[in-house]
Amino acid sequence: MRRTGAQIVWEMLEREGVEVVFGFPGGAIMHTYHPRQEYGIRHILVRHEQCAAHAADGYARASGRVGVAMVTSGPGATNLVTGIATAMMDSSPIVCITGQVPTAVIGSDAFQETDITGVTLPITKHNYLVTDVNDLAYVIHEAFYIARSGRPGPVLIDLPKDVQQAETDFVPPEEEVRLPGYRPVGPGGPEVVRQAADLINDAQRPVILAGHGVLMSGAMETLKTFVKKTETPVALTLLGKGGFPESHPLALGMMGMHGEAFVNQAIQEADLLLAFGMRFDDRVTGKLERYAPQARKVHVDLDAAELNKSVSVDVAILGDLRQVLEQLLPLVEPASHREWLEQIERWRGESQTRDIVNQSDNGHVVAPQVIHALWEATGGEAIVVTDVGQNQMWAAQYYHLDQPHPFITSGGLGTMGFGLPAAIGAQVARPDKEVWAVVGDGGFQMTVHELGTVIQEQLPQRIALFNNNCLGMVRQWQEFFYDRRYESTHLLNPDFVRLVEAYGIRGWRVTEPGDTQQAIAEARSHPGPAFIEFQIVQKGQDGNVYPMVPAGAALHEMIRRPTPAAEAREKQGG
Ligand SMILES: Cc1cc2nc3c(=O)[nH]c(=O)nc-3n(C[C@H](O)[C@H](O)[C@H](O)COP(=O)(O)OP(=O)(O)OC[C@H]3O[C@@H](n4cnc5c(N)ncnc54)[C@H](O)[C@@H]3O)c2cc1C
Ligand SMILES: Cc1ncc(C[n+]2csc(CCOP(=O)(O)OP(=O)(O)O)c2C)c(N)n1
Ligand SMILES: [Mg+2]
């Protein structure tokens, strides 16, 4: 079969099972775009290349498949950078295809030339510059394998224009990919698994730290069996949400900087931490020297670079989490930890008295109560995709997941502007699902142009905007740690409802707490895309995210939500 490089791209994408590509064309990639209609692959035209990468990332997280982005050389390729770095930090499998100037002029500062493999070297799992059309089919095959295997991540393929045009005999690669020096791991070593089982069998106060790796290894059911047998409570990382049902009696909730105080307390008092597919991010540990001082630690991760990286552990198991849990199950004894669980319940009760969801209406629209209402209205079944900042933390704290699907958010890079385009990707991946983008007024405006994509693709996207007229999370830090000097965090905003209406999207505005449920119900029953602006307070405790571990503090030294009842109890020494 004679094929051009451009045709090989689409043939190979089809063979890899790709149904949709998010992209934006331009000179150096036009040859590849040209034959697209001859293949059964949908193309979604975004409004900015950054969003092609975010949409591919959201697609990947919502579907468990590889997301694909395609853009031109130079500015098109450099616009991808933030999206690639975001996917890299959260181990999301995407393949990015970039056009490049012809091989003969590479290195000559040709029009729209950027050394994108050089630029993205530290933020891709792997990247390629294809200089011979005969390599192209195999490179694409290998790129998909690398993106999805082991610890998933982004892969970039840079395609010079002449390689796209050149013809060759197309022979689809059938062989399995074998790469020297790259071998994704399977089960753990029996010796270390045995050592971990001994620690588990000895523990009195164990806590599981369940991370993103639970979802990525498909260990949700095995984890439940393990938890039941060992009666071990489970704390979740931000990206671990969805890996263990939050309504389970042994589910604690989120750990870390904005985790629940009682969860952090349990971690600090534990005698054994079982870190399952999580990487001890600094938002999770607080001050390292004072992290879980009494606990022995077991860490299971398939990336050797993560073991003993920031937290030294007693037993490090290099392996795929699901397989390691299966190895551990016959070795661990059925256990009961009643006293420990009762202690945790007492701490949980104290946290609940401070919870704003349990406090009476004070006349303001309060974000946690809005998320709580959204959770109730959707029965916790929606796919929630967030932006970054306070809106992200409120969504994480109050939208509880029982389903084994991820909470889609930029955790590691914390990329403002991620929410809307990633939600587009998730909605494309899961047209059967209700997808809500939860965004702040700052981050929304970074990628607001993607409303055009929503309308052009007729996606039933739902968007909840928390408008506090400021860069809320930064403002909160200024209030707590920078002498209340609110430097460059105030936002003069447009009329958001009129803005979305200009795109042809139906919008609601909520300014009274009593209108929240009604607006959510109307937006949910509206057939097309729907947008709700919640005008929330900026200042004071209703405008802040509680609890919070200040930077540099130990995990249990949290700033708590002040409530009259809790304050009175504290004064009495209770
Ligand atoms: C404003 C803001 C506030 C934040 N606050 C918090 C907070 O309070 N609490 C919190 O938890 N996070 C918080 N985060 C997110 C935080 O920065 C990290 O992104 C998050 O903690 C990472 O979670 P993780 O380690 O589970 O996931 P990842 O970073 O995705 O790491 C997953 C780990 O699992 C491993 N893995 C993957 N596949 C497998 C497998 N098959 N088997 C075994 N291991 C596997 C990977 O190698 C990796 O080490 C915040 C982020 C922002 C932007
Ligand atoms: C691209 C980018 N720039 C800057 C930041 C730093 N930052 C983190 S949260 C935040 C404020 C976000 O404001 P907004 O989107 O309104 O959300 P809110 O915190 O008010 O809910 C900023 C500026 C970031 N995370 N990403
Ligand atoms: Mg804001």
Side-chain angles (χ1 to χ4, degrees):
M1 290 181 283
R2 294 294 284 174
R3 293 282 185 274
T4 63
Q7 289 170 319
I8 291 172
V9 169
W10 298 106
E11 296 253 4
M12 285 306 299
L13 292 182
E14 268 187 348
R15 281 169 187 273
E16 295 296 332
V18 174
E19 289 168 353
V20 60
V21 168
F22 301 91
F24 200 92
I29 195 73
M30 281 177 69
H31 275 286
T32 296
Y33 267 84
H34 186 63
R36 204 262 315 163
Q37 291 171 13
E38 295 154 29
Y39 297 85
I41 297 179
R42 176 176 176 194
H43 181 265
I44 292 184
L45 179 65
V46 294
R47 297 298 182 269
H48 185 296
E49 291 88 348
Q50 177 186 345
C51 299
H54 289 327
D57 183 346
Y59 176 92
R61 298 194 207 199
S63 66
R65 303 167 65 181
V66 178
V68 181
M70 183 179 286
V71 304
T72 191
S73 66
T78 55
N79 271 352
L80 278 182
V81 166
T82 301
I84 296 175
T86 304
M88 183 71 177
M89 287 292 270
D90 290 347
S91 299
S92 187
I94 61 171
V95 168
C96 299
I97 299 173
T98 49
Q100 181 56 281
V101 300
T103 43
V105 295
I106 285 179
S108 71
D109 296 333
F111 177 62
Q112 296 197 321
E113 178 184 4
T114 299
D115 172 9
I116 198 64
T117 49
V119 169
T120 59
L121 191 68
I123 53 163
T124 46
K125 188 173 170 189
H126 195 56
N127 69 24
Y128 304 85
L129 169 63
V130 185
T131 52
D132 183 343
V133 71
N134 293 304
D135 299 338
L136 182 55
Y138 190 77
V139 162
I140 295 176
H141 186 49
E142 198 176 272
F144 275 80
Y145 170 75
I146 292 176
R148 70 174 161 249
S149 59
R151 180 175 182 171
V155 178
L156 181 136
I157 305 171
D158 200 22
L159 264 189
K161 204 168 167 176
D162 54 320
V163 177
Q164 300 170 44
Q165 286 169 296
E167 264 193 7
T168 186
D169 286 327
F170 171 55
V171 185
E174 301 293 352
E175 66 269 36
E176 250 182 56
V177 176
R178 281 178 198 278
L179 291 164
Y182 178 72
R183 244 167 270 114
V185 298
E191 180 69 12
V192 277
V193 172
R194 176 78 254 172
Q195 286 171 15
D198 289 345
L199 291 186
I200 294 165
N201 291 335
D202 280 351
Q204 306 297 314
R205 301 188 308 280
V207 174
I208 290 169
L209 309 176
H212 196 190
V214 175
L215 286 154
M216 287 191 277
S217 69
M220 291 77 88
E221 285 305 314
T222 326
L223 178 62
K224 269 195 244 166
T225 313
F226 180 91
V227 167
K228 191 169 176 207
K229 187 167 182 189
T230 60
E231 205 179 54
T232 308
V234 182
L236 297 167
T237 66
L238 177 69
L239 297 182
K241 274 175 77 74
F244 189 75
E246 290 183 65
S247 65
H248 191 290
L250 288 168
L252 300 181
M254 190 167 80
M255 65 183 95
M257 180 176 270
H258 290 293
E260 300 255 24
F262 78 94
V263 181
N264 288 349
Q265 183 89 33
I267 291 169
Q268 291 298 78
E269 299 284 334
D271 68 354
L272 178 68
L273 291 184
L274 299 171
F276 288 162
M278 55 80 75
R279 62 178 175 86
F280 290 112
D281 184 272
D282 51 63
R283 301 259 139 156
V284 158
T285 59
K287 194 177 176 64
L288 274 174
E289 299 79 63
R290 296 173 63 202
Y291 181 59
Q294 306 162 43
R296 308 266 201 122
K297 297 170 188 92
V298 173
H299 190 185
V300 185
D301 203 294
L302 52 46
D303 185 349
E306 293 296 347
L307 298 169
N308 289 308
K309 184 177 82 174
S310 42
V311 172
S312 302
V313 297
D314 298 270
V315 179
I317 305 179
L318 180 65
D320 168 66
L321 180 64
R322 189 175 53 75
Q323 296 182 56
V324 172
L325 284 174
E326 279 162 6
Q327 288 172 288
L328 275 171
L329 267 173
L331 303 178
V332 296
E333 288 152 15
S336 164
H337 297 294
R338 178 148 4 131
E339 254 179 57
W340 174 228
L341 296 176
E342 282 171 1
Q343 171 64 69
I344 293 176
E345 284 315 305
R346 284 194 289 277
W347 290 328
R348 192 199 293 261
E350 191 274 342
S351 283
Q352 278 169 352
T353 60
R354 292 184 187 251
D355 192 335
I356 195 159
V357 164
N358 296 326
Q359 287 167 34
S360 51
D361 179 355
N362 61 7
H364 306 303
V365 181
V366 181
Q369 291 174 350
V370 172
I371 298 285
H372 184 72
L374 183 63
W375 173 70
E376 283 188 324
T378 54
E381 304 245 328
I383 294 185
V384 173
V385 186
T386 80
D387 211 83
V388 167
Q390 294 181 314
N391 60 90
Q392 175 186 33
M393 291 297 112
W394 286 318
Q397 291 175 333
Y398 292 96
Y399 201 93
H400 307 297
L401 289 182
D402 280 337
Q403 306 263 345
H405 63 64
F407 180 78
I408 300 178
T409 193
S410 170
L413 200 66
T415 306
M416 282 172 72
F418 174 82
L420 177 59
I424 290 174
Q427 186 74 77
V428 170
R430 298 297 307 269
D432 55 316
K433 280 286 206 179
E434 187 172 332
V435 176
W436 278 86
V438 173
V439 298
D441 47 332
F444 182 53
Q445 291 184 82
M446 285 197 173
T447 50
V448 65
H449 40 72
E450 296 306 321
L451 292 173
T453 311
V454 170
I455 277 296
Q456 190 159 342
E457 294 297 324
Q458 306 209 323
L459 299 171
Q461 207 67 68
R462 281 161 174 80
I463 303 163
L465 169 83
F466 288 115
N467 184 3
N468 49 11
N469 286 100
C470 67
L471 301 172
M473 187 55 96
V474 179
R475 188 202 169 282
Q476 174 168 340
W477 281 59
Q478 290 169 334
E479 181 178 333
F480 288 179
F481 315 117
Y482 289 84
D483 307 327
R484 300 185 183 221
R485 185 182 291 179
Y486 299 116
E487 173 57 41
S488 303
T489 44
H490 170 70
L491 293 174
L492 179 64
N493 283 327
D495 179 328
F496 284 111
V497 171
R498 285 178 64 198
L499 179 69
V500 302
E501 281 172 357
Y503 279 93
I505 293 174
R506 178 82 198 274
W508 286 259
R509 176 176 293 124
V510 173
T511 55
E512 301 292 327
D515 296 339
T516 299
Q517 273 88 351
Q518 177 74 11
I520 291 174
E522 286 179 23
R524 291 188 71 222
S525 58
H526 183 67
F531 169 93
I532 313 177
E533 173 192 355
F534 295 96
Q535 289 194 347
I536 59 171
V537 285
Q538 186 184 90
K539 296 196 183 89
Q541 56 161 295
D542 287 349
N544 289 331
V545 178
Y546 292 101
M548 175 177 192
V549 181
L555 200 55
H556 59 285
E557 294 169 343
M558 299 191 89
I559 302 174
R560 309 289 304 278
R561 175 182 301 285
T563 66
E567 297 312 298
R569 215 181 27 253
E570 244 165 40
K571 271 198 197 118
Q572 289 160 15

